Amino acid sequence: MSNASIRLIDRVPGDKGPIVKRTVKEQISDKLAYMIHSGLLRAGDELPSERELAATLGVSRETVRAAVGVLQARRMIEVSQGARTRVIGPGAMPLHESVGVLGGLKNRSLEEVTEARAAVEMQVVRLAAQRITPAQIERLQNLVDDQRGMRADAVRFQISDQEFHQILYRACGNELLADVVFDFYGYALEFRRLALMRPGAIEHSVAEHQAIVGAIRQRDPEAAIAAMRNHLEQVHRTTRDVMGG
């Protein structure tokens, strides 16, 4: 397994320091658990297949199977023979770190969080355009290519979308900035989920992701910032609409 895959999820939002000696299985199970706690994945949702999850997360099917087993033991998901794996709910073992981050932002307004996110994310994207590696560019492009086939699968797209943003943030080469902006990304995900269910929403997001990757590939910080600003404005507008703001 590549070093990029091993470091794929080296931080779950809310962590206060680097994760030491954590297996990829543990990192994947934590990532999926965070999605459930944040509302990105809800009770009754069907998870993508092992093959699809492995491709999106950049790990082996065996690793995905093991991570799913961890969440099954926590009673967060249900695995049935011959059927898609379903989300049950947060279970009895809360992720205190994840809940802590979400709790810290829940009393903030959408406008306030959006303004703060944009201020940090523009710097992150500027640095990413300068520092991103060819392997990271290829990973982002592969995700976008796969996303084009997800217009009817909001759950799978949401998982891929989070992976896209996390890889982009890591590409800035500054772990502190990447951690901060990813925490902002986690704000109001339950509403973002509703926004993505609207007709054409996924297609718009995929096109915006492609514009970001295109600018990053050209190592053009200003074009990358413009593409990300357009994406954030769309995210803000559609999230505000479903929140009734």
Side-chain angles (χ1 to χ4, degrees):
M1 184 173 295
S2 67
N3 289 335
S5 294
I6 292 174
R7 295 187 65 236
L8 176 65
I9 314 164
D10 56 3
R11 178 183 180 274
V12 174
D15 182 52
K16 302 306 179 185
I19 294 175
V20 180
K21 296 182 180 179
R22 293 183 62 76
T23 66
V24 179
K25 176 194 74 174
E26 291 169 333
Q27 294 170 19
I28 297 293
S29 64
D30 280 352
K31 167 167 269 194
L32 293 174
Y34 170 69
M35 292 179 186
I36 295 171
H37 277 282
S38 69
L40 185 64
L41 296 176
R42 296 183 178 181
D45 281 346
E46 292 185 346
L47 292 183
S49 67
E50 284 182 2
R51 177 183 59 79
E52 292 168 335
L53 275 175
T56 296
L57 299 175
V59 297
S60 70
R61 292 179 64 174
E62 290 73 19
T63 299
V64 168
R65 188 177 303 123
V68 165
V70 171
L71 298 186
Q72 183 182 21
R74 294 182 191 173
R75 300 185 182 277
M76 298 178 74
I77 62 174
E78 179 181 49
V79 179
S80 301
Q81 189 67 30
R84 296 290 285 268
T85 298
R86 289 180 177 273
V87 175
I88 298 174
M93 183 180 175
L95 293 178
H96 299 293
E97 292 293 301
S98 295
V99 172
V101 168
L102 297 174
L105 291 177
K106 70 179 181 180
N107 294 322
R108 303 292 185 176
S109 70
L110 174 63
E111 302 300 327
E112 186 177 14
V113 173
T114 298
E115 184 177 53
R117 176 181 174 180
V120 179
E121 194 147 355
M122 294 307 103
Q123 177 64 9
V124 166
V125 170
R126 180 185 298 279
L127 291 174
Q130 299 168 342
R131 300 174 177 177
I132 195 167
T133 67
Q136 288 171 322
I137 293 174
E138 181 180 6
R139 184 85 177 92
L140 289 174
Q141 186 61 65
N142 288 340
L143 285 169
V144 174
D145 291 343
D146 288 342
Q147 287 170 5
R148 292 192 177 96
M150 300 178 190
R151 66 181 63 184
D153 192 342
V155 170
R156 188 178 168 207
F157 176 78
Q158 288 168 147
I159 294 172
S160 182
D161 180 73
Q162 180 162 291
E163 193 69 14
F164 176 90
H165 282 271
Q166 189 169 35
I167 290 170
L168 179 61
Y169 301 156
R170 292 293 179 210
C172 80
N174 184 309
E175 293 292 312
L176 180 57
L177 281 175
D179 289 349
V180 169
V181 76
F182 195 79
D183 287 348
F184 285 132
Y185 174 91
Y187 176 81
L189 280 180
E190 68 274 23
F191 294 103
R192 185 68 192 140
R193 166 196 177 89
L194 294 175
L196 286 170
M197 290 181 175
R198 293 187 168 187
I202 291 177
E203 289 89 336
H204 280 127
S205 285
V206 174
E208 291 158 8
H209 286 173
Q210 184 60 72
I212 293 167
V213 174
I216 292 283
R217 188 187 297 278
Q218 295 300 316
R219 307 283 179 172
D220 187 336
E222 297 310 316
I225 287 172
M228 179 57 79
R229 182 176 290 113
N230 179 63
H231 182 50
L232 292 183
E233 288 174 353
Q234 173 74 3
V235 168
H236 173 250
R237 184 167 54 253
T238 55
T239 303
R240 181 188 60 202
D241 288 346
V242 297
M243 290 179 75

